[in-house]
Amino acid sequence: MSSQNKKMTPVQQKYQKLAQTKEPKRPVWSNCLRAFVIGGGICLLGESIRQAFMKYGGFDEKSASNPTVAVLILIAVILTSFGVYDKIAQWAGAGTAVPVTGFANSMASSAIEHRSEGLVLGVGAGMFQLAGSVVVFGTVAAFIIGIIYALFVPGYVGGGGS
């Protein structure tokens, strides 16, 4: 018995068991397939955009990544503003949580939701309330990885560049 069930009265435990028997089974495999297809499709779109920047824009492999990310963010924000991204997310689930587009969707959704409160206290505060945890986590993770590199990768200390 879980610790949560120990805190419930016998009537609550009986109801919990009844509710579990009536709960519809989740289509786990079809949900995984949808997430895989949509998440893979987003990644395929990103790679197609990157290849186009390399072929038609004169970018090399490394420099094509930045405009690719910008285009993916732009696409995600436009689709979010028209309500399309959310419909795709409802169908595909976790497949739309691909980091770049998923984060862009979260930021745009937050901005749209808080726009009635004004630009600074609504849009700005709403967007960065969500982004704050991501920025903090990213900064801490980068710091830790930098220390690991400095300690364990020969010749890394002092930069050197490529």
Side-chain angles (χ1 to χ4, degrees):
M1 218 179 228
S2 71
S3 62
Q4 185 182 13
N5 284 347
K6 290 180 185 177
K7 295 177 184 176
M8 289 192 231
T9 66
V11 173
Q12 290 172 327
Q13 291 176 6
K14 186 176 177 183
Y15 176 78
Q16 190 70 27
K17 287 181 184 177
L18 175 66
Q20 288 175 350
T21 62
K22 301 293 182 186
E23 184 178 337
K25 299 293 180 208
R26 293 186 179 102
V28 174
W29 291 108
S30 69
N31 288 349
C32 288
L33 181 64
R34 284 191 236 164
F36 177 79
V37 168
I38 295 299
I42 293 170
C43 293
L44 180 65
L45 174 65
E47 182 60 23
S48 300
I49 293 168
R50 190 174 80 88
Q51 292 294 326
F53 275 120
M54 289 175 5
K55 185 173 183 178
Y56 303 112
F59 290 89
D60 62 9
E61 281 191 41
K62 189 175 181 180
S63 64
S65 298
N66 291 337
T68 300
V69 170
V71 170
L72 285 173
I73 289 170
L74 181 65
I75 291 170
V77 168
I78 290 169
L79 291 177
T80 299
S81 66
F82 287 118
V84 174
Y85 199 95
D86 294 333
K87 289 180 182 173
I88 295 169
Q90 285 176 344
W91 185 81
T96 57
V98 175
V100 170
T101 57
F103 187 64
N105 169 259
S106 298
M107 294 290 289
S109 295
S110 183
I112 291 167
E113 181 181 339
H114 294 96
R115 73 177 180 257
S116 63
E117 298 168 25
L119 283 178
V120 174
L121 296 178
V123 175
M127 280 190 338
F128 293 107
Q129 188 175 28
L130 169 75
S133 59
V134 175
V135 171
V136 168
F137 177 78
T139 304
V140 170
F143 179 75
I144 292 169
I145 291 170
I147 289 174
I148 292 170
Y149 263 76
L151 293 175
F152 297 109
V153 176
Y156 183 74
V157 177
S162 53

